[in-house]
Amino acid sequence: MTTPTIDIELSAPVNPRDLGGIPIRGGILREGMALRADDLCVITGEDAQALVDGGLAAVIDLRTNDEAALTGRGPLAGYRVAYHHLPLVESISAGMPDGDAPVIEHVAMGEMYARMVESAALQLASALGIIALAPGATAFHCAAGRDRTGVLAAVLLLALGATDDDIVIDYARTSPNMPAILERTKPTIGALMARLGFDLDAMAAVTISEEPMDIAMHTMLARLRERHGDVLAPLRAAGLGEGTIARLRERALA
């Protein structure tokens, strides 16, 4: 059964950034190719117009089916912007800690990211293909713009030849935005969790470890190399070809 939409107060994203400026093999990733963000389906009409005016050609929505059904596409649905829904997990609860754990540890988050790369390799490979072929900028997002979005940003940057250090630096830039992210996502994620039968008071008591966020991305990269040798190996097995990687690099350095 499709989850009905709800009335949502539209707001500007609080965790957006252009990946332009990051060092990659052969140079610097140009601006206006790949944008990462928190939820772009609940942005204001003004924000949607600004993205389109800035050259937005495609949106990759990494959220679950339930999340997408809850909000719809939002104001960007009124523009000629290609929309691609590529859920990286089946349920929003997939990122919740096991049992009654009161703290989400960053090592555990990194382990989850590694499993996500393995289980959603086809979606991630498809996302890289979309970015490679888009006639303009591609924006990709989940709810917070940290976990699922961070995983796609990491594999994109790896395909472009970025170093681990630069990938981790980009991932950790979300850290100071977390209070605003939690406030912005509370109405949608809270409503969805309630419908799924979660105890919202118990969820509110869950905190994120005060250790540096970069531990999670370091952990993901390390675990995937331990298991596969190459972080991108699961994506290659799912169909990511050298032609797509070459096209990404060509676009990134143009």
Side-chain angles (χ1 to χ4, degrees), residues 2-121:
T2 301
T3 304
T5 57
I6 61 173
D7 291 329
I8 296 170
E9 182 177 351
L10 302 179
S11 60
V14 295
N15 192 33
R17 56 185 174 273
D18 192 319
L19 294 181
I22 295 176
I24 58 174
R25 187 177 306 160
I28 302 293
L29 174 55
R30 70 174 180 84
E31 295 185 354
M33 174 182 165
L35 317 174
R36 57 175 293 174
D38 47 315
D39 198 341
L40 292 180
C41 292
V42 292
I43 60 175
T44 67
E46 291 80 3
D47 293 312
Q49 184 67 61
L51 285 169
V52 173
D53 290 345
L56 183 68
V59 170
I60 300 174
D61 184 350
L62 304 173
R63 301 174 304 156
T64 64
N65 290 328
D66 285 343
E67 289 173 277
L70 186 71
T71 64
R73 289 179 55 190
L76 281 171
Y79 296 89
R80 297 187 65 180
V81 173
Y83 174 77
H84 306 272
H85 185 211
L86 300 174
L88 295 192
V89 294
E90 292 185 4
S91 169
I92 189 62
S93 62
M96 294 295 292
D98 294 331
D100 298 321
V103 178
I104 300 176
E105 298 288 352
H106 291 303
V107 170
M109 294 294 289
E111 297 277 6
M112 182 189 74
Y113 296 166
R115 294 193 298 273
M116 191 182 298
V117 171
E118 293 166 335
S119 63

Side-chain angles (χ1 to χ4, degrees), residues 95-186:
M96 294 295 292
D98 294 331
D100 298 321
V103 178
I104 300 176
E105 298 288 352
H106 291 303
V107 170
M109 294 294 289
E111 297 277 6
M112 182 189 74
Y113 296 166
R115 294 193 298 273
M116 191 182 298
V117 171
E118 293 166 335
S119 63
L122 178 59
Q123 295 94 309
L124 290 167
S126 297
L128 295 188
I130 290 165
I131 297 170
L133 297 174
T138 300
F140 52 94
H141 74 94
C142 51
R146 181 187 69 175
D147 304 319
R148 294 164 286 184
T149 297
V151 167
L152 177 52
V155 297
L156 170 61
L157 291 171
L158 279 170
L160 293 174
T163 66
D164 285 8
D165 286 345
D166 286 321
I167 291 167
V168 170
I169 288 170
D170 172 67
Y171 170 78
R173 287 180 63 191
T174 290
S175 184
N177 299 332
M178 284 307 301
I181 290 170
L182 294 173
E183 187 64 27
R184 183 172 188 251
T185 58
K186 188 186 302 181

